[in-house]
Amino acid sequence: MTASSKPAAPVESGTQTAEAIAQSNEERSRALRDTLGEFATGVTVVTTLDANGQPVGMTVNSFNSVSLDPALILWSIDRSSLSYAAFTQCERYVVHVLKGDQQHVSNLFAGRGADKFGQVKWHAGPEGIPQLDDCAALFHCRRAQNIEGGDHTILLGEVLEFSAGGGEPLVFHRGRYRALAGE
């Protein structure tokens, strides 16, 4: 039986209690998250400058290509993210595709409140945007559009510059980092 065809929680006298509905919704959300986890993704860190000119960055695995002409990419950010305002209001940002040996970078930028940039090698790239050193690929983008999507906002970015550094990418699948299978 799939999560979408899962029977609803038992109903007493034709109505569900608020607690039963919340539990049912929570179970469905967990099942959906687990099912989405079957899709392996690459891992990226997106960086920008906040309104005060301070470096901001976060780990993102919702990165995807959209179009080659014009060159567009997308990624999404949770509306409750501490970096939400910085990314939804910035003009430019950099998407860094992490290498397989950069799990520590992914974990660092997935956390809250740490001095992230004090623990990695980086430099100011075009427009002063923080650029992490030694990544598999980089995409310098201009924020083209924000699209509301449930509890997230999808950021559509125009790719201005890009480069490939090579190496095996960091992959995430079923809630864990994975190595690519050999050729």
Side-chain angles (χ1 to χ4, degrees):
M1 182 177 288
T2 64
S4 63
S5 62
K6 194 175 191 180
V11 178
E12 289 184 25
S13 304
T15 60
Q16 288 183 316
T17 66
E19 185 177 318
I21 292 170
Q23 184 177 9
S24 176
N25 288 341
E26 200 172 297
E27 289 172 358
R28 186 178 191 298
S29 290
R30 184 69 229 178
L32 176 59
R33 184 181 190 117
D34 290 346
T35 303
L36 289 168
E38 292 297 322
F39 182 66
T41 64
V43 182
T44 66
V45 167
V46 184
T47 60
T48 194
L49 296 173
D50 68 13
N52 298 319
Q54 296 301 306
V56 176
M58 63 184 292
T59 299
V60 171
N61 71 343
S62 59
F63 171 78
N64 208 338
S65 63
V66 175
S67 170
L68 294 176
D69 188 17
L72 299 172
I73 57 93
L74 67 77
W75 61 283
S76 63
I77 185 170
D78 189 315
R79 291 187 190 177
S80 68
S81 170
L82 296 175
S83 304
Y84 184 80
F87 285 109
T88 58
Q89 296 171 12
C90 72
E91 278 300 313
R92 302 201 183 215
Y93 55 84
V94 178
V95 178
H96 307 79
V97 177
L98 298 184
K99 289 183 178 180
D101 64 355
Q102 293 181 306
Q103 290 181 24
H104 66 287
V105 176
S106 173
N107 290 334
L108 177 65
F109 280 88
R112 292 179 179 243
D115 175 16
K116 299 170 184 179
F117 291 93
Q119 299 181 52
V120 295
K121 292 183 180 177
W122 68 280
H123 63 277
E127 311 257 336
I129 307 300
Q131 183 174 312
L132 305 180
D133 294 345
D134 197 34
C135 293
L138 297 171
F139 299 89
H140 294 267
C141 300
R142 176 181 15 246
R143 185 176 52 84
Q145 186 177 1
N146 293 348
I147 304 161
E148 300 306 314
D151 58 3
H152 281 63
T153 296
I154 301 161
L155 284 86
L156 184 65
E158 175 189 3
V159 178
L160 302 173
E161 296 179 35
F162 57 93
S163 63
E168 294 294 322
L170 184 59
V171 177
F172 199 72
H173 178 248
R174 292 187 181 164
R176 295 182 28 205
Y177 297 109
R178 306 286 181 156
L180 289 178
E183 294 181 30

